[in-house]
Amino acid sequence: QVQLVESGGGSVQPGDSLRLSCVASGRVLSSSAMGWFRQAPGKEREFVACIRWGVRNTYYGNSVKGRFTISRDTDTVYLQMNSLKPEDTAVYYCARARGGYSELASEYDLWGQGTQVTVSS
């Protein structure tokens, strides 16, 4: 069964770091791009980062630029999150893009179950 499984979420204090992982099974990673999104209660799903699989070009949402880093190895996509802020609190999802780089959730066709990140003092 083709699926994405996220892990690494948790509760941290402002300024702390977390690394999220998204392990892919099956032929998931034949996609040309993978992304991370997040959704806070009462808000729309927000683009966080995207990596183009072959060339490893990376793209980031404005709210996380300079603090988050997306990377990948053979079957896993990572999101390193530094200098976390309370406004980063959300459920984080990894997803497979239908095509190349996109910031639109509608352009992603396979999603993980999500992992909760809570940033609070």
Side-chain angles (χ1 to χ4, degrees):
Q1 182 177 358
V2 175
Q3 60 179 355
L4 302 172
V5 180
E6 302 100 330
S7 63
S11 295
V12 298
Q13 295 186 338
D16 285 351
S17 298
L18 278 176
R19 188 174 82 155
L20 306 184
S21 299
C22 173
V23 179
S25 64
R27 291 182 57 82
V28 174
L29 298 180
S30 60
S31 168
S32 62
M34 296 288 292
W36 285 95
F37 287 76
R38 66 187 183 186
Q39 189 164 19
K43 295 188 176 181
E44 294 187 355
R45 195 160 293 193
E46 176 189 12
F47 171 75
V48 174
C50 178
I51 184 166
R52 290 177 61 195
W53 204 251
V55 298
R56 304 196 187 205
N57 289 358
T58 57
Y59 309 86
Y60 298 93
N62 288 334
S63 61
V64 306
K65 279 180 183 176
R67 299 187 299 123
F68 290 13
T69 303
I70 188 171
S71 62
R72 66 97 169 165
D73 61 20
T74 303
D75 61 357
T76 305
V77 181
Y78 302 98
L79 185 68
Q80 177 67 42
M81 306 186 295
N82 298 329
S83 302
L84 283 162
K85 304 175 181 181
E87 50 264 45
D88 295 318
T89 296
V91 177
Y92 283 71
Y93 300 90
C94 72
R96 179 185 67 182
R98 300 178 196 275
Y101 154 68
S102 176
E103 297 187 7
L104 299 176
S106 59
E107 293 300 314
Y108 291 74
D109 63 356
L110 180 67
W111 294 80
Q113 83 288 350
T115 185
Q116 176 71 46
V117 172
T118 302
V119 185
S120 174
S121 56

